[in-house]
Amino acid sequence: MNYVFGPVPSRRLGKSLGIDPVPFKTCNWNCVYCQLGQSRPMVSERKDYFPPQDIIAQVQNALDSHSPDEIDWITFVGSGETMLHTSIGLMINEIKKITQLPIAVITNGSLLYLPNVRKELLQADAVLPSCDAGDALLYRKINRARPEFTFDKLVNGLIAFRKEYSKKLWVEVMLVQGLNDSTEALQKIASILNQIQADEIHILQPTRSPAEPWVRLPDKESLLRARTILGENAKIVDQSNASFDLSGAKDLSEAIVGIITRHPMQQNELINTLANWTSKDIMEILDDLKNSGKAKIVIRNGISFWITSSGNFPVDSHN
């Protein structure tokens, strides 16, 4: 099994070599905007889902097969909640022994109330947790966490982590039209962010295939309002349009599945990624993916996305 993928274009981390340490949709949240679909069932158990040494070996292989200028960051970014793997700290430390590349960890932040989880992340060069709501009610509406992962635990964990962590703390705020893009909602989020004191606030949009068909992108006015209210260190993060690296793929179909499992893609993105192949070959590959049941298409906001067949996406009756 491939735990390491890419390098892939990142909105903030340039050319990112991804590490996925948990099985697909192993998550304690069920966010309405999740590009990987609904979490069924939600999971809260922390354990070594995959052998850490196998993951580290794959990182070494990836580093050996790419030149230094082909990778900017190594990023733990689970197709679920990254920190549910209990050996993240060990893996960060071991990877730092074999490369000088910076290491980032993308997490929902729900486990940062646990001192041992905070300790595991101290050696990472950047940590990117989420804070999409300024009160418990909106947190439940947007992130739909398991009951034991409360809003207070999330906020207290983020504040405690900031006090212990001296490197880059970049908090993500995903804006969803009609939920957290109003002046009142943004002011509540800003109040929480002021307590956390992150280095940067990254304003994101659900530009890919959101789990729920009713999720809509904020309009331009809402984005500008968010940037103003959330503070001077807030910035709107644009979606990267760069192509993915499938060079050296032994099985192209499997390589594509590996990408869309973590990063659903529009068909034109897939075609651009496969630019080195003929149009006939591309269509044969896409037909094979669909007919074999390895991938499927989901429609969101009138746009078709290629996703892994394991993704749970309610049908949009308007499409």
Side-chain angles (χ1 to χ4, degrees):
M1 180 172 179
N2 289 326
Y3 314 113
V4 177
F5 60 98
V8 298
S10 167
R11 290 174 281 191
R12 292 151 291 181
L13 302 169
K15 293 166 286 188
S16 172
L17 183 69
I19 302 174
D20 188 353
V22 296
F24 181 75
K25 286 305 290 181
T26 300
C27 195
N28 54 359
W29 283 10
N30 183 26
C31 298
V32 298
Y33 58 73
C34 183
Q35 65 180 16
L36 302 180
Q38 295 180 343
S39 302
R40 297 181 184 173
M42 286 192 282
V43 177
S44 61
E45 181 184 6
R46 293 198 77 215
K47 65 179 182 178
D48 280 2
Y49 284 92
F50 302 122
Q53 293 305 324
D54 290 356
I55 296 175
I56 294 166
Q58 287 192 14
V59 172
Q60 180 70 74
N61 290 337
L63 293 173
D64 291 342
S65 61
H66 290 86
S67 61
D69 63 344
E70 290 182 302
I71 302 172
D72 297 317
W73 284 77
I74 296 174
T75 308
F76 284 89
V77 51
S79 52
E81 171 42 36
T82 310
M83 296 309 297
L84 286 173
H85 196 295
T86 50
S87 291
I88 293 293
L90 180 149
M91 288 188 283
I92 291 173
N93 290 332
E94 290 301 308
I95 292 170
K96 280 187 169 291
K97 294 177 182 178
I98 60 176
T99 180
Q100 294 184 337
L101 288 168
I103 297 175
V105 179
I106 297 177
T107 169
N108 62 26
S110 62
L111 293 164
L112 290 176
Y113 73 94
L114 298 170
N116 60 311
V117 172
R118 298 198 298 270
K119 184 177 179 180
E120 290 169 27
L121 287 174
L122 294 181
Q123 296 306 311
D125 298 286
V127 176
L128 292 75
S130 298
C131 183
D132 305 317
D135 60 45
L137 179 60
L138 200 50
Y139 168 71
R140 288 294 174 195
K141 286 183 178 180
I142 296 175
N143 303 123
R144 302 188 299 194
R146 282 178 60 101
E148 64 266 36
F149 298 102
T150 65
F151 178 70
D152 285 343
K153 283 183 178 179
L154 173 68
V155 173
N156 291 336
L158 288 168
I159 294 171
F161 183 63
R162 170 77 288 181
K163 292 178 180 177
E164 300 168 6
Y165 183 68
S166 60
K167 300 178 184 179
K168 296 179 176 68
L169 180 60
W170 299 338
V171 175
E172 301 180 347
V173 179
M174 180 71 78
L175 283 194
V176 179
Q177 186 181 126
L179 282 181
N180 62 350
D181 62 341
S182 68
T183 298
E184 180 183 5
L186 288 167
Q187 287 174 338
K188 288 183 178 181
I189 296 173
S191 177
I192 299 297
L193 295 175
N194 286 338
Q195 299 177 61
I196 298 169
Q197 293 294 302
D199 298 296
E200 294 182 5
I201 308 300
H202 294 173
I203 302 169
L204 309 181
Q205 307 170 66
T207 54
R208 298 207 171 268
S209 47
E212 302 300 336
W214 48 263
V215 168
R216 295 291 182 268
L217 275 69
D219 57 28
K220 184 177 180 180
E221 181 180 349
S222 296
L223 286 170
L224 295 176
R225 179 167 58 243
R227 190 175 64 184
T228 300
I229 293 175
L230 297 184
E232 294 181 355
N233 61 345
K235 62 181 181 180
I236 300 168
V237 178
D238 293 326
Q239 178 71 47
S240 173
N241 292 317
S243 61
F244 290 76
D245 178 12
L246 296 179
S247 61
K250 296 179 180 179
D251 185 318
L252 187 57
S253 293
E254 290 301 321
I256 293 172
V257 171
I259 294 294
I260 64 176
T261 296
R262 294 123 176 159
H263 194 289
M265 299 175 69
Q266 296 180 34
Q267 180 148 323
N268 67 321
E269 288 181 298
L270 268 177
I271 291 173
N272 290 338
T273 297
L274 301 172
N276 291 331
W277 285 263
T278 66
S279 298
K280 180 181 178 182
D281 289 338
I282 292 172
M283 296 316 299
E284 286 180 353
I285 291 168
L286 297 182
D287 286 342
D288 176 67
L289 286 173
K290 187 186 294 185
N291 295 333
S292 66
K294 295 178 180 177
K296 61 185 178 182
I297 293 175
V298 64
I299 299 175
R300 288 293 184 263
N301 296 318
I303 301 172
S304 297
F305 293 91
W306 282 85
I307 62 171
T308 178
S309 57
S310 302
N312 292 309
F313 288 84
V315 175
D316 186 346
S317 60
H318 298 291
N319 288 312

